[in-house]
Amino acid sequence: MNLEMGLFQQQTMKLVMTQELRQAISLLQFSTLELSEYLEEQALENPMMEIEERNTDLKDEPVYNMPVMWNDEPSEIQEKEDQEMSSPFDRIKDDRERISDYLIQQIRFLPGDDDEKRVLKHLARNVSDSGYLEGTYEETAALFAVSEEQYEACVSKLQSLEPSGIGARSLKECLLLQLQRQTSRNPFAETIVNDHLEELAARKWKKIAKCLGTSLEEVQQVYDDVQRLDPHPGASFGGGDHPGHLLPDVYVERDGEDFIVRLNNDGLPKIRMNRQYRHLLENKEEGEAAEYAQKKYKQLVWLLKSIDQRQQTIRNITEAIVRFQHDFFKKGPSAIKPLTLKDVAEAADVHESTVSRTTNQKYVQTPHGLFELKYFFSAGMNNSTGEQTSTFVIKSMIKELVVQENKQKPLSDQKIAEFIKEEHDIAISRRAIAKYRGELNIPSSSKRKRY
C-alpha cells in the first residue's frame, strides 16, 4: 500500500447557518407571547434598542411599530391599595392572574394572626397552576415554627378558599372537597369517591354496586355527578402552560363572498432606538463607542427585518390556507377539507418546514371562533367516486353517531364503520374508527354502556 503525502485542493459546498439566520428561524416558530418576551430580553442586551413605555412623552422619537397590545394595568402600589379597599370576591378575575395571587388576596381578609397568615401565603405560593398543593409538612416546618396539627389546620383553611377544590393534594381530595361544599351533600357519592374512585373511573359499576349493596343506576348517577366536578380547579387562571386568554396572531374577516387576512397589530412591543446612542450614528463619530453603536444598530436592523419577515410569512401562509379552506370559513368546521403542509408550502412558495414552524402556536380568529393554524391540516379519505373527505369530518361523523346512539346498546367500532360506508360512501376500517375514537377521547362501546 502506497501512502503519499502532499497538498491537494478540493472544492466542497457547505451550508453555514449564520446567527442571523438562526434568529430569523427562531422568531418564526415563537408564539406571540414568546416573541414578546424575547424582544424584552433583546432590549436588555442591546443598548441601541428600547421598548416603548406606556404614556411616553418622547413623541418626536421614531418608533418601529411592531404589533403589540398594551395592557392598561394600574401601578403595583395603586393596585395593592385598590385590593385592600375592595373585596376579592366581588371583582372579575383577570385572566392574567395566577391562582396563587388570587388565593393570597383572599387570605388577606381571613381572620387570624400574622404568623398563621405567613404560613397560609407560603402554602398559596406552592399551589400549582392546576390548583394542587405541592410540598410537604417537613418542607414547611423547615421555614416556619409549626406543628403538624397547625400545618393541617392551615391546609384546611387554604382549602376553604375559592375556587372549590383548591389546595388538594390528590385528585380524590380535590373531588371530595367539591362534594363536601355542595349545598345538598351526598354522603353516598362521597363514600364512592373516597373508597372506590379507581373503579368508578374504570366504569366498574357492577363491582361497586355489589360491594355497597346498591343499584347500577345509583352508581351511574354518582359517576355523572363526579363528571361535573373540576379536576383542575386552578386551570381557569393564568400562568404555566395554560393559555388563559389567547390572542390571535391573525384575523380572517368576511368581505362579501370573500375573506380578507389581517395581521394582529396589537400583539408585540413597539421598538424605539435609544436617543443616547443615536447621536453616535448621526454625527459619524469614530472610536470604540462608535463601532459598538454601529454593531448594535446592525443587530437592531436585522431584528426588525426578521420580525417583518415573520409577520409577512404568517400572512402569506394564512392567505394560502384561506384559499384552500374557503368552505370552512364560509360554512364552519363541518366543511373543512383535507390539506397538507406540502399544499400550502407550494402555494406560499416556501419550504414545508417553514409552514410547520409558522402554524405552530399561531392562532387565527375566524367567523367560527379561534383556531390554531395547524388545525387546518389533516389527511383525507376517498369515497368511491374519488372525492376526499377530511379526517376531521370523519371524526365529526363518529362523534355525532356516539351522541345519538342508544346508550343501552352503544355502537361498536365495526357498526360505526358500516354506517359511515352506507350513509357517506366512505370505506373505513374498524381499526381506523378505533384510532379516531381514541383521539376524540371517546371510550369503547363497553365503557359507554348505560343502565
Side-chain angles (χ1 to χ4, degrees):
M1 183 171 61
N2 184 23
L3 297 176
E4 289 188 33
M5 295 183 67
L7 297 175
F8 299 92
Q9 190 176 39
Q10 183 178 8
Q11 185 175 6
T12 61
M13 293 184 67
K14 185 177 180 181
L15 178 62
V16 178
M17 182 175 286
T18 65
Q19 183 177 354
E20 289 82 4
L21 181 56
R22 283 196 296 269
Q23 182 187 63
I25 292 174
S26 296
L27 297 193
L28 188 58
Q29 61 193 21
F30 281 163
S31 67
T32 299
L33 178 60
E34 289 171 336
L35 181 54
S36 297
E37 293 172 348
Y38 177 78
L39 294 178
E40 296 281 355
E41 292 172 2
Q42 290 299 299
L44 294 175
E45 296 176 6
N46 189 343
M48 186 68 69
M49 174 181 168
E50 286 185 350
I51 301 296
E52 186 189 45
E53 299 293 337
R54 295 188 294 276
N55 303 323
T56 179
D57 295 327
L58 304 176
K59 296 180 181 177
D60 58 329
E61 291 291 316
V63 174
Y64 302 90
N65 197 3
M66 297 297 105
V68 88
M69 175 174 179
W70 299 120
N71 295 320
D72 295 324
E73 302 175 32
S75 69
E76 184 177 354
I77 295 174
Q78 183 62 48
E79 187 177 35
K80 286 183 178 178
E81 289 176 354
D82 290 344
Q83 288 165 350
E84 295 293 344
M85 292 294 291
S86 63
S87 167
F89 305 109
D90 59 10
R91 61 190 176 88
I92 298 174
K93 177 182 65 63
D94 189 327
D95 281 322
R96 294 163 296 186
E97 183 180 38
R98 299 176 73 95
I99 181 60
S100 55
D101 298 325
Y102 186 54
L103 293 172
I104 289 171
Q105 295 309 316
Q106 297 178 61
I107 290 168
R108 288 176 177 168
F109 290 86
L110 290 176
D113 57 38
D114 292 341
D115 289 340
E116 183 185 52
K117 287 191 176 182
R118 276 193 284 271
V119 176
L120 284 169
K121 289 178 182 178
H122 167 76
L123 295 177
R125 293 187 187 97
N126 283 276
V127 171
S128 69
D129 291 317
S130 60
Y132 287 82
L133 177 60
E134 298 177 342
T136 63
Y137 160 67
E138 287 74 19
E139 292 170 348
T140 304
L143 299 171
F144 303 94
V146 291
S147 66
E148 191 164 358
E149 291 76 18
Q150 289 171 324
Y151 171 79
E152 288 297 330
C154 286
V155 171
S156 296
K157 191 166 284 191
L158 179 77
Q159 292 173 346
S160 70
L161 302 177
E162 296 294 335
S164 178
I166 204 69
R169 290 159 289 188
S170 67
L171 174 61
K172 179 190 292 186
E173 188 175 33
C174 179
L175 299 177
L176 283 172
L177 287 170
Q178 294 176 63
L179 288 171
Q180 290 162 3
R181 206 185 290 191
Q182 290 180 345
T183 306
S184 299
R185 287 184 60 171
N186 184 347
F188 179 64
E190 293 175 24
T191 298
I192 290 181
V193 169
N194 190 60
D195 300 334
H196 303 279
L197 183 59
E198 290 185 9
E199 289 95 336
L200 186 70
R203 295 176 180 245
K204 296 179 180 179
W205 300 340
K206 291 181 180 178
K207 182 178 178 181
I208 298 173
K210 184 177 180 181
C211 180
L212 298 179
T214 188
S215 66
L216 280 171
E217 288 79 8
E218 287 181 294
V219 177
Q220 184 174 274
Q221 183 60 53
V222 170
Y223 177 87
D224 292 341
D225 292 342
V226 171
Q227 287 288 93
R228 287 190 282 270
L229 303 178
D230 188 354
H232 304 289
S236 60
F237 289 74
D241 296 329
H242 181 75
H245 180 61
L246 290 172
L247 290 175
D249 298 88
V250 62
Y251 297 90
V252 174
E253 300 167 343
R254 183 181 286 274
D255 183 22
E257 288 298 309
D258 296 320
F259 295 91
I260 58 173
V261 173
R262 179 172 63 84
L263 289 171
N264 179 5
N265 292 321
D266 300 318
L268 301 173
K270 293 181 175 68
I271 298 174
R272 178 191 303 282
M273 188 187 297
N274 186 303
R275 58 162 59 183
Q276 294 178 340
Y277 281 82
R278 215 170 115 205
H279 76 275
L280 293 174
L281 300 174
E282 293 174 344
N283 299 334
K284 297 182 179 179
E285 297 183 15
E286 296 182 358
E288 286 188 23
E291 287 182 18
Y292 180 76
Q294 279 287 349
K295 177 184 176 182
K296 292 301 179 181
Y297 173 72
K298 288 179 181 178
Q299 290 178 359
L300 174 59
V301 170
W302 181 262
L303 177 62
L304 294 172
K305 286 182 178 178
S306 298
I307 296 173
D308 184 63
Q309 180 66 42
R310 172 192 186 271
Q311 297 298 88
Q312 291 305 316
T313 302
I314 293 174
R315 178 195 290 276
N316 294 341
I317 288 175
T318 305
E319 287 177 343
I321 290 173
V322 171
R323 288 195 295 273
F324 280 109
Q325 299 287 13
H326 187 271
D327 287 348
F328 166 90
F329 290 96
K330 189 175 182 180
K331 301 175 184 176
S334 62
I336 198 168
K337 294 180 179 178
L339 184 63
T340 65
L341 294 174
K342 184 179 179 181
D343 295 331
V344 173
E346 291 176 352
D349 195 24
V350 294
H351 195 272
E352 284 182 47
S353 62
T354 300
V355 178
S356 178
R357 291 189 183 100
T358 302
T359 55
N360 188 43
Q361 296 189 77
K362 311 297 188 308
Y363 292 85
V364 54
Q365 183 67 54
T366 78
H368 308 287
L370 187 69
F371 296 86
E372 191 172 7
L373 280 174
K374 69 179 182 181
Y375 166 87
F376 296 96
F377 298 96
S378 70
M381 301 194 71
N382 292 327
N383 63 13
S384 59
T385 61
E387 295 178 341
Q388 278 205 324
T389 301
S390 166
T391 52
F392 175 84
V393 175
I394 293 172
K395 287 180 181 179
S396 297
M397 294 175 186
I398 295 171
K399 191 184 296 185
E400 185 177 355
L401 285 170
V402 169
V403 169
Q404 296 179 353
E405 71 185 357
N406 181 344
K407 301 304 178 186
Q408 278 73 42
K409 295 181 180 179
L411 297 170
S412 66
D413 293 339
Q414 184 61 43
K415 287 289 185 182
I416 292 174
E418 292 171 359
F419 185 89
I420 291 176
K421 172 63 177 173
E422 292 171 4
E423 294 296 317
H424 303 281
D425 193 23
I426 299 172
I428 183 170
S429 68
R430 178 195 61 77
R431 293 182 66 182
I433 294 293
K435 175 189 173 185
Y436 295 149
R437 178 176 53 71
E439 291 173 357
L440 291 167
N441 292 319
I442 296 175
S444 63
S445 58
S446 63
K447 292 187 176 180
R448 297 199 307 273
K449 186 173 182 179
R450 309 287 292 183
Y451 296 90

